[in-house]
Amino acid sequence: MKPNHTTITPNSLIKWIGIFAFLVMGFQMAGFAQGFKVTGTVTNNEGEPMAGATLLEANTAGVFTNEEGKYSITLSGPNASLLVSYLGYQNQIIPVEGRAVINITLEPAIKSLEEVVIVGYGTQRKSDLTGSISSVKSAAITRIPTASVEQALQGKVAGLLVTPRSGEPGQGAVLRIRGTGTLNDASPLFVVDGMLLDDINFLNPNDISSIEVLKDASSTAIYGSRGANGVIIITTQKGKAGSARFNFTSYFGNQEITRMIPLANGAEYAQLTNEVAINENRLPTYDNPEEFGEGTDWQNVIYRTAPIRSYQLSAQGVSETMDYHVSANYFSQEGILRGSGFDRLTLRINNGYQLTPFIKFGHNVSFIATQQEIGPGIVSNAYQADPTVPVRDSLGNFSNTTINAPVGNPEAVLFYNNNHGKGIRTVGNAFIDIKFLKNFLFKSSFGWDLNQNQGKNFVPVFYVSPLQQNQESRLSVFIDQSNSLLLENTLTFDKDWDSHHLNVLGGLTAQQFRFENLGGQRLNFPGETDEFLFLNAGEIEGQTNFNNAFEWSMVSFLFRTNYTLLNRYLFTATFRADGSSRFGRENRYGYFPSFAAGWNIAEESFLQNQKLITRLKLRASWGKIGNDKIGAYAGRAVVTSNLNAVFGPNEELNNGASIITLANPGIKWEETSQSDLGFEFGIMDDKLVGEVDFYRRITQDILIDVPIPAYVGAANNPVINAATVMNRGWDFNLAWRDKIGKLSYHIQGIASTVYNEVLELGGGKEEIFGGGLGVGGKLGTRTVVGLPIGAFYGYQVEGIFQNESDLLTYPTRGEEVPGDLRFKDVDQDGVITTEDRTYLGSPIPNFIYGFDGGIEIFNIDFVAEFNGVSGNKIINSKKMARFGTPNFEATFLDRWTGEGTSNTEPRVTNGGHNFEMSDRFIESGSFFRMRNIQIGYSLPESFIKKLNISQFRVYLSGTNLWTRASYSGYTPEITSSSVISVGIDNGIYPIAKTYLAGVNVSF
């Protein structure tokens, strides 16, 4: 049966747009009476000609300046008034007063207090802003050499936690704005040039103009249910005033692993393996452990120094009727883990066409092609592999590393890996702006995100050992595609009076998303070269296939009004109604209001005659926003097929199907209520500026699955609204900028606190376990009322049993011997049971910070960036995995070998009591890192002008060069897409440090 979706009729909306546009155009039909002709030139405050400036007589047609800034316009008479406008500059109304030649100078509109901030569906003066919004400019993004814009945001926005998914090329990051407010998808919404997206992996950092992070309900409520986890608005580069300007940027560098994990060498491993055998009542494995010496360092085998490079060429400019920005970028990154790499080609065309002074058509389009070499998952192999075994034996064959542990030879895994993927994606929108009746702006936009990925993985026939072999060649192929379409229509009224400013926005939007995948597998191929790597070349017998799809849609109505009185008193009210196909008819619509107020104290009369305080503002907001990121069919019954059974008189195989998840049509929106109090200040002509915010965010009716009796017959639990989570904290932002002679310098920092607590788990769900440890199905997290989401759960270690007397003195589980860990008797019942497991820490940092400083003098520029977190914990789960006798971390060398030898590291064993989930495997996740350091030199302007070049800059840069952390793994940044599985290190692809050189040339 076809899913029941929200009714969306784009055709009717388009028809309405056409009728509306026709009526609007009717207002513009009046032409000029043949009257008074005026000519002149428009320049900016620096004397540069302003191409594309608009000149018109009120409520009539107008003209544009040409590339030299010149214009000619015929007005109704010599006493008319001329309105002059240009984006980013102050509008001017000039009385003609009979003059035939009028030269005009425009002044920038963006001053400290008049800075324009991108908000949802528009812009707003920074001084009028009542919401909590942080801005990041392009220069801060492009300093980080990465394919991921998300990773480049790390340490730059107060209240934003950025954790790289891994160091694998092409990987993005997990973002959390002001904590984790749901048990489902907690990712923010991304808005790129107006297109609503769930990821920005396609974005080229060099194409970005600015990024705004919307954090409180006042700023995010205009996005309704999409804004529950915060909103990140990204504006890409547009054409700038002047004739065509070309820019070439490039860098090239090398990456290295930031640190190796100290592991036992060959001799140490042999000694520890002998002790394991003795402790397990077996004969020692090795006669002479010392003969193995250093052995094989498998980390050195799989990791390498890898190149990274980027090339970009762009052109931009403004003509009389057009602004344009066109760019092409090629990014290539080989992984520090051999066998991995990522290449991306990005083409972007952002054009605007001024059809008339009142009508503008434009588009922002990007085309992305990617190729990826997917490395095998051998991080854990290299960590665990036997160091007494060489890479290859005396005959040149791959050595068998599985004798002591079921860990395949990492070099062989690399050799036989053939896993590739590629994708094509286009993201963009086309829009039309229609100005009418002087104060109205109608905008219609159609956006799209079309994405297709495909992969191919071939495994040949090979034999290394009985546990590392493949007897039949195998080819797996998949293709998936998704498309997201967005239609938005907004009408804005904007007017200034003597002491009032009013901006009113109303709109209607509709979005539809569809995903489908298809794949298959065959065995036994006649060859291993490329011409054979197609499914048809394999055997038909035993082939498999899969095909799946889902879709959702949403229709929304939005409204916002901003009112400013005397430039001092600020008021904002927002309302949005969302209808989502994810919910049943009774609860399909969610309604999300917000209110905010601000007070520009610096505009009061008692602060007018002083020079110390430039800016002083108080603001407060409250709002309610929703979340529908629960899966396309969370409230519906799920039926699966291929449940076959043999029955009947002839005992034949019959195909069958069954409900595996019960429907709950009564589920409704998760709702987040957020309050924010903010304080902004600027001192000494804004040399020192800062912002402080306190927030409290409560998410109610969180959707979770609840247990049902087994006799019901459903394999999965149904979903209900049953949980409440609270986040609260402070955001701090402080910056100092100044100039002394020819020296310009700045220093700025951000900091945030986060307190996360589960307030309620209802519907019979008293606890939620998660966080697979990769060890016998054990779980490491437990979410309960009163603790953070995904809190770590296990035994507390109080020491080591040193002798038989200790075993009689302290509580035990019953199987311990001297040298084993001694757990705390939490419930004090005299024995150690599962009831003694307790809270062991949280993976959520309670303090996030970052700062940077820079100087510019004599054409030399220097900047250094730092970031860090504290208060969070990590489970070193890879240390717990003991199947057979894999290698040991160096900490095992400090093990207990007899009474008094250690009270922290137990005797060496393979599994058992000492490898239960306990704080033995909990480590600090706090770190402080030098994120980036860069020094550049720009050739003198007097020299490059002779070459018709406007800028020539070279630079050296280093990223992730130094990290201070107590965690013993590759990186302390461990995350997961699941909020209840964060902070568990099962063997993450390491983060790399990068050294590079680059050049920027403009002409």
Side-chain angles (χ1 to χ4, degrees):
M1 181 178 294
K2 190 174 182 179
N4 183 17
H5 294 291
T6 300
T7 302
I8 296 177
T9 56
N11 290 335
S12 62
L13 290 176
I14 294 172
K15 183 186 297 183
W16 175 80
I17 293 169
I19 295 172
F20 186 85
F22 178 80
L23 294 174
V24 170
M25 290 296 292
F27 287 106
Q28 316 304 326
M29 295 303 295
F32 282 113
Q34 295 299 315
F36 193 77
K37 185 175 182 179
V38 178
T39 61
T41 303
V42 179
T43 59
N44 62 17
N45 59 321
E46 297 180 353
E48 298 173 338
M50 302 294 290
T54 303
L55 299 97
L56 66 155
E57 186 176 359
N59 296 325
T60 60
V63 298
F64 302 101
T65 56
N66 62 19
E67 292 186 359
E68 297 176 349
K70 298 183 182 299
Y71 71 93
S72 176
I73 186 171
T74 301
L75 304 178
S76 59
N79 295 319
S81 293
L82 192 61
L83 173 63
V84 188
S85 63
Y86 192 92
L87 182 64
Y89 288 79
Q90 297 177 10
N91 293 346
Q92 292 189 31
I93 299 177
I94 301 173
V96 174
E97 298 175 341
R99 293 175 292 172
V101 178
I102 303 178
N103 295 322
I104 303 163
T105 300
L106 297 180
E107 295 291 333
I110 302 178
K111 298 180 180 177
S112 176
L113 291 179
E114 301 303 320
E115 179 183 357
V116 174
V117 177
I118 307 295
V119 297
Y121 301 96
T123 61
Q124 196 171 358
R125 294 180 300 183
K126 176 71 173 175
S127 58
D128 291 346
L129 199 63
T130 56
S132 180
I133 299 179
S134 295
S135 297
V136 182
K137 301 304 179 185
S138 60
I141 299 298
T142 55
R143 282 198 293 263
I144 306 298
T146 175
S148 168
V149 174
E150 298 153 299
Q151 291 194 26
L153 282 171
Q154 192 173 42
K156 293 180 171 61
V157 177
L160 175 64
L161 174 64
V162 179
T163 309
R165 294 183 184 274
S166 78
E168 185 175 3
Q171 284 292 306
V174 173
L175 275 59
R176 297 289 181 260
I177 297 177
R178 290 185 167 180
T180 303
T182 179
L183 297 172
N184 298 293
D185 187 352
S187 302
L189 170 70
F190 298 99
V191 183
V192 180
D193 292 328
M195 182 62 192
L196 277 57
L197 304 163
D198 289 328
D199 77 272
I200 51 174
N201 292 336
F202 68 94
L203 265 180
N204 165 28
N206 294 287
D207 283 338
I208 292 175
S209 175
S210 67
I211 297 178
E212 268 73 30
V213 181
L214 283 55
K215 298 180 285 188
D216 71 328
S218 174
S219 57
T220 63
I222 194 68
Y223 292 104
S225 65
R226 311 297 297 276
N229 301 313
V231 179
I232 297 179
I233 299 178
I234 299 175
T235 305
T236 58
Q237 299 280 359
K238 304 295 188 295
K240 297 180 181 178
S243 56
R245 178 179 179 180
F246 295 88
N247 186 260
F248 174 76
T249 63
S250 178
Y251 61 75
F252 181 90
N254 285 323
Q255 310 158 92
E256 299 176 355
I257 190 170
T258 54
R259 72 182 301 269
M260 296 285 197
I261 297 175
L263 298 173
N265 62 27
E268 292 165 342
Y269 171 82
Q271 176 61 41
L272 292 172
T273 301
N274 281 348
E275 290 185 22
V276 169
I278 294 171
N279 289 333
E280 295 179 352
N281 298 316
R282 295 185 285 109
L283 293 175
T285 304
Y286 299 100
D287 295 330
N288 181 18
E290 296 299 325
E291 69 175 306
F292 296 103
E294 290 298 318
T296 302
D297 187 337
W298 290 103
Q299 293 179 101
N300 284 333
V301 170
I302 68 169
Y303 296 117
R304 64 181 174 183
T305 298
I308 182 173
R309 54 190 177 273
S310 174
Y311 309 95
Q312 168 137 337
L313 180 64
S314 63
Q316 60 181 8
V318 174
S319 66
E320 292 185 45
T321 58
M322 177 180 174
D323 62 84
Y324 59 91
H325 177 92
V326 181
S327 68
N329 175 268
Y330 173 70
F331 175 87
S332 178
Q333 181 183 12
E334 294 186 25
I336 57 173
L337 175 63
R338 291 168 48 213
S340 61
F342 177 79
D343 293 90
R344 182 177 67 194
L345 175 65
T346 304
L347 302 177
R348 175 169 288 276
I349 305 175
N350 291 350
N351 288 4
Y353 310 92
Q354 198 73 49
L355 306 180
T356 77
F358 308 100
I359 302 177
K360 182 176 182 179
F361 170 77
H363 53 76
N364 307 287
V365 182
S366 61
F367 173 84
I368 308 96
T370 60
Q371 286 190 338
Q372 188 170 12
E373 184 181 8
I374 304 171
I378 58 170
V379 172
S380 293
N381 287 55
Y383 173 84
Q384 296 178 328
D386 186 342
T388 66
V389 177
V391 177
R392 293 178 182 268
D393 60 24
S394 59
L395 299 177
N397 300 317
F398 291 116
S399 298
N400 180 7
T401 59
T402 65
I403 296 174
N404 291 314
V407 179
N409 186 314
E411 180 67 15
V413 176
L414 283 170
F415 183 82
Y416 294 115
N417 180 65
N418 186 356
N419 192 358
H420 298 271
K422 60 182 179 180
I424 295 177
R425 186 173 184 179
T426 177
V427 182
N429 68 346
F431 64 89
I432 186 168
D433 292 347
I434 303 174
K435 297 178 181 178
F436 63 100
L437 297 179
K438 190 176 181 179
N439 302 112
F440 287 88
L441 172 65
F442 170 75
K443 181 170 185 176
S444 183
S445 173
F446 177 74
W448 63 87
D449 177 11
L450 309 178
N451 191 13
Q452 179 174 298
N453 295 291
Q454 61 186 62
K456 184 176 288 188
N457 183 17
F458 178 72
V459 183
V461 175
F462 67 86
Y463 181 89
V464 178
S465 69
L467 295 179
Q468 189 178 8
Q469 62 173 308
N470 186 53
Q471 297 180 351
E472 296 177 299
S473 58
R474 178 177 68 252
L475 176 67
S476 302
V477 176
F478 80 89
I479 182 170
D480 63 52
Q481 57 185 12
S482 64
N483 62 75
S484 179
L485 303 177
L486 175 67
L487 181 63
E488 296 193 314
N489 308 283
T490 59
L491 181 64
T492 304
F493 172 81
D494 190 270
K495 184 174 177 61
D496 277 299
W497 292 272
D498 292 338
S499 56
H500 310 272
H501 175 77
L502 179 65
N503 180 281
V504 181
L505 168 76
L508 172 64
T509 79
Q511 185 169 14
Q512 186 175 51
F513 179 90
R514 177 175 172 80
F515 170 88
E516 184 172 359
N517 64 3
L518 176 67
Q521 177 179 284
R522 283 192 182 182
L523 305 174
N524 293 324
F525 287 76
E528 299 179 3
T529 53
D530 290 345
E531 61 266 26
F532 293 104
L533 300 188
F534 296 91
L535 290 180
N536 279 350
E539 292 183 352
I540 296 178
E541 185 178 353
Q543 66 178 337
T544 61
N545 60 71
F546 63 87
N547 183 214
N548 186 37
F550 68 87
E551 59 185 333
W552 57 263
S553 55
M554 179 178 289
V555 63
S556 307
F557 305 88
L558 57 95
F559 171 83
R560 180 180 61 213
T561 180
N562 293 309
Y563 173 67
T564 303
L565 174 64
L566 299 170
N567 286 326
R568 305 175 202 166
Y569 312 112
L570 319 170
F571 304 94
T572 301
T574 306
F575 177 80
R576 178 159 173 150
D578 285 332
S580 173
S581 65
R582 290 181 165 107
F583 300 97
R585 292 186 180 276
E586 295 182 0
N587 296 306
R588 180 151 295 172
Y589 279 87
Y591 305 96
F592 311 109
S594 78
F595 306 94
W599 178 24
N600 274 325
I601 306 174
E603 296 294 322
E604 297 289 354
S605 58
F606 56 81
L607 287 178
Q608 293 303 300
N609 297 319
Q610 52 82 39
K611 297 183 179 180
L612 178 64
I613 299 175
T614 313
R615 180 195 312 178
L616 194 63
K617 181 165 71 173
L618 292 175
R619 48 181 168 76
S621 68
W622 173 89
K624 181 177 289 187
I625 40 187
N627 184 20
D628 74 335
K629 293 184 178 181
I630 58 171
Y633 311 124
R636 303 173 188 170
V638 177
V639 178
T640 186
S641 57
N642 294 325
L643 297 179
N644 305 325
V646 177
F647 60 89
N650 298 321
E651 294 188 349
E652 296 177 343
L653 180 66
N654 293 270
N655 295 327
S658 176
I659 294 177
I660 60 172
T661 302
L662 297 180
N664 180 11
I667 64 172
K668 58 184 180 179
W669 297 79
E670 295 182 4
E671 290 188 339
T672 298
S673 299
Q674 184 173 179
S675 301
D676 185 282
L677 294 174
F679 172 66
E680 302 176 15
F681 64 89
I683 298 174
M684 295 182 290
D685 198 24
D686 278 356
K687 290 181 180 178
L688 177 65
V689 296
E691 296 185 24
V692 180
D693 282 84
F694 173 77
Y695 66 89
R696 187 171 187 268
R697 182 161 67 114
I698 295 181
T699 305
Q700 297 176 303
D701 293 326
I702 295 176
L703 292 156
I704 62 174
D705 62 275
V706 295
I708 56 175
Y711 60 76
V712 173
N716 302 323
N717 295 326
V719 174
I720 70 169
N721 299 93
T724 303
V725 172
M726 184 265 289
N727 289 274
R728 68 167 183 261
W730 294 84
D731 291 343
F732 303 91
N733 198 328
L734 192 66
W736 171 271
R737 298 177 181 273
D738 199 7
K739 186 173 184 179
I740 304 174
K742 295 185 178 181
L743 173 67
S744 299
Y745 69 97
H746 80 271
I747 183 169
Q748 57 190 18
I750 59 98
S752 307
T753 66
V754 179
Y755 175 79
N756 177 274
E757 181 182 350
V758 178
L759 301 182
E760 181 181 3
L761 287 177
K765 195 84 168 183
E766 297 179 356
E767 54 190 4
I768 301 174
F769 290 97
L773 301 176
V775 184
K778 294 180 181 178
L779 302 175
T781 73
R782 178 174 176 254
T783 300
V784 294
V785 172
L787 293 177
I789 292 175
F792 296 149
Y793 180 66
Y795 297 101
Q796 287 183 323
V797 176
E798 290 194 317
I800 291 177
F801 292 104
Q802 298 294 331
N803 48 45
E804 293 293 338
S805 177
D806 282 353
L807 292 171
L808 297 175
T809 303
Y810 298 106
T812 66
R813 300 174 68 196
E815 74 276 14
E816 298 93 327
V817 299
D820 285 340
L821 294 177
R822 178 163 56 85
F823 296 147
K824 182 177 181 179
D825 184 14
V826 173
D827 61 7
Q828 297 183 346
D829 65 353
V831 294
I832 302 299
T833 66
T834 56
E835 297 301 315
D836 292 306
R837 293 178 296 176
T838 187
Y839 173 62
L840 299 179
S842 170
I844 302 175
N846 55 34
F847 188 60
I848 309 163
Y849 60 94
F851 62 91
D852 68 86
I855 60 173
E856 294 183 22
I857 186 171
F858 301 129
N859 296 330
I860 298 174
D861 59 270
F862 172 83
V863 67
E865 302 179 8
F866 302 84
N867 75 289
V869 304
S870 67
N872 59 309
K873 301 295 184 181
I874 296 172
I875 300 179
N876 191 349
S877 178
K878 64 183 183 297
K879 193 175 180 180
M880 301 173 64
R882 305 297 299 175
F883 302 103
T885 308
N887 200 6
F888 303 84
E889 284 198 21
T891 55
F892 282 79
L893 298 174
D894 299 323
R895 76 272 182 209
W896 184 92
T897 56
E899 186 172 346
T901 55
S902 175
N903 202 39
T904 55
E905 190 68 33
R907 67 192 181 105
V908 287
T909 58
N910 284 334
H913 173 87
N914 296 328
F915 290 90
E916 291 291 336
M917 175 56 199
S918 71
D919 57 8
R920 177 193 179 193
F921 304 104
I922 300 289
E923 301 184 42
S924 171
S926 302
F927 71 89
F928 173 58
R929 171 175 293 152
M930 177 185 285
R931 179 66 169 136
N932 180 260
I933 185 169
Q934 186 176 115
I935 184 169
Y937 175 73
S938 300
L939 293 179
E941 185 177 347
S942 58
F943 174 75
I944 61 177
K945 271 190 174 181
K946 300 176 182 178
L947 304 174
N948 292 323
I949 296 175
S950 58
Q951 181 194 35
F952 191 100
R953 176 178 176 266
V954 293
Y955 64 91
L956 299 175
S957 178
T959 304
N960 299 334
L961 298 184
W962 173 81
T963 302
R964 181 178 180 180
S966 60
Y967 180 58
S968 62
Y970 288 121
T971 174
E973 297 179 279
I974 310 295
T975 189
S976 171
S977 298
S978 169
V979 299
I980 60 173
S981 300
V982 177
I984 301 175
D985 185 3
N986 287 315
I988 187 174
Y989 191 121
I991 303 295
K993 57 184 175 182
T994 306
Y995 308 87
L996 59 83
V999 61
N1000 299 331
V1001 183
S1002 298
F1003 51 94

